[in-house]
Amino acid sequence: MDPQHTAPANPVVPGSISQVLNPIRGRLIVAALLAAAGAMLTLVPLAVIAHIARVALADSGIAAAEMGWAVALGVACLFAGMLLISLGELLAHLADNRMTHHLRRAIVQRLSRVPLGWFSSRASAEVKQAIQDDINTLHSLTAHFYTTVGRAGGAILISLIYLFAMDWRMAIVSLLPFPGFFLFFSRAMKASEANMQAFSAGMGRIDNAVVEFVNGIAVVKAFGDSGKAHSRYRQAIDEFAQAFIGFTRPLVASMANANAMIAPVAVLSVVLLFGTLFVAQGWIAAADVLPFVLVTPGLCGPLLLLHYITHELSHATGAARRVQALLQTPVLEAPAPDMQQSPKGCEVRFEGVGHAYDAEHQVLTDVSFCLAPGSTTAIVGRSGAGKSTLARLLLRFFDPSTGRITLGGVDLRHLECSSLYRHIGFVLQDVRLIHASVRDNIALGRPSASQQEIEAAARIANLHERILGLPRGYDSVVGEDAALSGGEQQRLSIARAVLLDPPVLVLDEATAAADAESEAAIQDALAHFAEGCTLLVIAHRLDTVMHADQIIVLDNGALLEQGRHGELLARRGLYAQLWAQGGYSHSEPRVVPSC
Ligand code: ADP
């Protein structure tokens, strides 16, 4: 037995699987019933063979016509059974297709409504696992589980009815190996459960050691300590091997006994043994043993099938739980059509804004300030003060826990998303490019933009010449023949924002991923683009913000100081301290146009 099959990979959330299956449950039940009826019919030929043999052996003479009818009935039942099983499979696969389609659409629709900030805290692998892997795993449940249970259950049921109808005493003794199977099997389960925890912990340690080893391989090699990294991996493997032996040793004997009990040859031996005994005692005729010889060993296959499919179920249950969890991801509150408003102007106001990512950790507290149209506001503060959070709230990656943010007098919650992003553009540190042409990447927010407009945006972003140098120019595909450096990606993100030409622009450490040459290009691009915009700049370097109209100094999520560079220096508070500490470079400002 595969040890990984002994326990579900994830705890089961009650109701998950039934919720996922709800839309197709009726079809799956019909498919299972069709498969069960089909399996029953395919066993009729065995009963026909047994009947013909019994009549022939009884020497009572069998008419050729009667034999012909019996054979025809057997063949007809066999084909009808196969047809019903195929119909059941077809129905289950169609239902699976319907459900898969429904789930993928529902997940994508849900994800399109979750806050953008949700994605930043999750790896795309997690979403891919649910949309692709988990839905594929569910296929084994929807397309195969019900029909397999139907087929196996139908075959077992009809066999038992038939055997008891033939001779109940012989039926009971013929079935004796089966309780033996369950006895050994439950013993194996108990033995594996006792060692399961050590086994899973060993697996977890190997996973961690592998990730640590692979992630850190460059650093470890560079610092010449590869032996140490190897040794942690080796130790995890040795511990796992010990846990594996502990897990499998008590399992092997019990499972071998369990499987031996229901091996067809073992079952046949029991039937023949008791059959001989019964015939010797004169309790039944020799010919009456034949149905048991033909049918009883056939019970082994369906029984094992049921056993294996139940393990598949545990995997599918874990997958259903993850898919269900994704479908219940909290979504961003969308304004009802009658609540939607249009901003009047582009003044941005933070009014008593507070935010907590989780219950214990208040990141922002009661922050209020205003971005006057056409002005530049810089947010500064120590790392972790809440600067990026403030920017993300303005972009509605999340909604504030308390207070509100307004654009042109309208609460962001009452703005349609498309309207919000028409008014507020952003260039963030973390640039996301899609697997598409450079042209499509630039025109992501305005797919209808003309080639001239796209090129003009790329020129402002100092990227046009670089794109022309790519093998297929604007048609080069990111990740294929367009390998862009961090700085170039950032300029592409600026080109995206330029194309949208929003009245409000949020810049978050826009030059973080750039080298010196690229940084100069980015600064030039931004200086051209930002003129006339209402700017909110988050930067760790004061040289990029010292000429801003207002500087907001955040400390521990609270607004500590507010004013212009000179005023704040004169106040000798945190801003002056940060300046004096040299946490920021003191070169001439380039990003923010002087106002
Ligand atoms: P700054 O930009 O000033 O460095 P941030 O706004 O990035 O600060 O972070 C402020 C605090 O919020 C930090 O303590 C950080 O750990 C926490 N934080 C940031 N993003 C998240 C998130 N997605 N989930 C939970 N906590 C977060």
Side-chain angles (χ1 to χ4, degrees), residues 121 357 361 363 382-389 392:
S121 57
Y357 288 104
H361 199 183
V363 176
R382 293 193 181 93
S383 176
K387 304 183 292 293
S388 301
T389 303
R392 286 188 214 134

Side-chain angles (χ1 to χ4, degrees), residues 462 485-488 490-491 510-525 541 543-544 587 590-591:
N462 278 335
S485 70
E488 287 162 354
Q490 216 128 36
R491 277 184 276 158
T511 57
D515 50 57
E517 198 184 328
S518 233
E519 183 178 337
I522 292 172
Q523 301 288 6
D524 278 348
R541 302 156 31 122
D543 63 324
T544 60
S587 58
R590 304 189 62 174
V591 172

Side-chain angles (χ1 to χ4, degrees), residues 391-425:
R392 286 188 214 134
L393 290 176
L394 176 55
L395 297 169
R396 231 187 147 201
F397 278 31
F398 307 96
D399 279 335
S401 317
T402 52
R404 63 174 200 155
I405 304 172
T406 61
L407 170 71
V410 178
D411 190 326
L412 296 189
R413 295 184 185 92
H414 298 151
L415 268 179
E416 248 240 290
C417 258
S418 55
S419 166
L420 173 71
Y421 295 117
R422 259 198 318 276
H423 284 88
I424 306 183

